[in-house]
Amino acid sequence: MSILVENITKLYKEQKALNNVSFNVNENEIVGFLGPNGAGKSTMMKIITCYIPPTSGNVKVCGYDIHEQSIEVRKNIGYLPEHNPLYLDMYVKEFLAFVGGLYKVKNIAQRVKEMIDLTGLQVEQNKKIGALSKGYRQRVGLAQAMIHNPKVLIMDEPTTGLDPNQLEEIRSLIKKLGKEKTVMLSTHIMQEVEAVCDRVIIINKGEIVANDTTQSLKQNKVKQIIVVEFDNAIEEQLLKNIAGVELVSTIGGNKYKIVATEERDIRKDIFNLAVEKNIGVLTLNKEEQKMEDVFKELTK
Ligand code: ADP
Ligand code: MG
């Protein structure tokens, strides 16, 4: 087991950020830590990386205890914090060598070169960090997180704020790194989890609400998503009253998205309701299930 989280609770004064959270991450797994803003993702990651202590509970990383063996924990973890704090006035190489020094890396120059090659920073290696695009800064962040060759990589929203091309590049880099490392990354982007992760842990208001493979989450939590367009407005509550319907949202005009957690095809019920209310049905389609809907369903 690479990361073992047991009954972690964290209070910031009276504010409870984490409530009795437990989960684990296996060796060489890429786990997505998913949740809306304020769910407690960053707090959990700061606890795992020994940046802040929990109020109660314990975490072990590669068998080392965060309370008793925090130095060992840090040696085994690479951490890319949220907003990727970097020294903008330092040069890429200089910065990586500096971080390598903090970790007492041997053959620093050689290791810096390896990290530059691994993260695709060759062209930018002689620039100041402040002169780099967000995508390249993220690469520098990943390079510094990997410089001491940790077994576990913790990344807090590594792709937030990237443009679509940068996003694709950083995602494939994460996948590449994930082949030999245990990776835990937080995100609020659902597609990311589907694209990158083996498993997803969803947190909401400081509590774990799901912990499963993306595949089985989709199968278990959301049975069907229906998009319906009427020729007239309908009371949302009437749609909600249909048996098995969990969620109804308006998507413009008289169009509604309906999420149901039942095997039975509810399209017939929607149609019958429309007939009963003397409203015409313009379209009535079943959509492919998406992680996004699972997420909404679990964190509503
Ligand atoms: P996330 O990363 O999922 O957005 P955070 O872990 O940053 O969530 O925050 C969880 C909760 O704890 C939020 O309600 C946030 O306002 C609160 N919080 C986070 N850091 C602090 C802090 N240093 N002091 C007080 N409250 C905090
Ligand atoms: Mg955060």
Side-chain angles (χ1 to χ4, degrees), residues 98-111:
F98 166 71
V99 178
L102 294 180
Y103 282 104
K104 300 193 171 64
V105 169
K106 296 195 180 79
N107 302 324
I108 287 183
Q110 172 61 26
R111 188 66 189 156

Side-chain angles (χ1 to χ4, degrees), residues 36-43 45-46 82-83 156-157 186:
N37 282 331
K41 302 181 297 294
S42 297
T43 300
M45 291 182 146
K46 286 178 200 164
E82 200 174 14
H83 311 307
D156 199 352
E157 306 213 11
S186 74

Side-chain angles (χ1 to χ4, degrees), residues 88-105:
L88 299 184
D89 277 329
M90 281 179 109
Y91 290 89
V92 172
K93 270 179 162 172
E94 182 190 19
F95 172 69
L96 293 177
F98 166 71
V99 178
L102 294 180
Y103 282 104
K104 300 193 171 64
V105 169

Side-chain angles (χ1 to χ4, degrees), residues 234-242 245 248 256 273:
I234 194 165
E235 234 183 284
E236 264 187 52
Q237 192 55 46
L238 292 173
L239 295 169
K240 282 183 186 151
N241 288 346
I242 295 171
V245 170
V248 176
Y256 300 88
L273 174 70

Side-chain angles (χ1 to χ4, degrees), residues 10-13 15-18 33-46 52 82 156-157 186-188 203 205-206:
K10 176 70 184 180
L11 291 161
Y12 293 110
K13 298 213 171 73
Q15 160 100 30
K16 200 177 250 188
L18 294 171
F33 199 43
L34 195 63
N37 282 331
K41 302 181 297 294
S42 297
T43 300
M44 190 67 242
M45 291 182 146
K46 286 178 200 164
I52 57 171
E82 200 174 14
D156 199 352
E157 306 213 11
S186 74
T187 176
H188 54 256
I203 184 168
K205 298 186 182 129

Side-chain angles (χ1 to χ4, degrees), residues 23-26 29-33 45 182-186 196-201 211:
F23 62 86
N24 51 50
V25 181
N26 299 315
E29 210 181 3
I30 304 185
V31 167
F33 199 43
M45 291 182 146
T182 303
V183 176
M184 180 175 177
L185 65 92
S186 74
V196 180
C197 304
D198 306 316
R199 185 154 60 96
V200 55
I201 296 172
N211 180 352

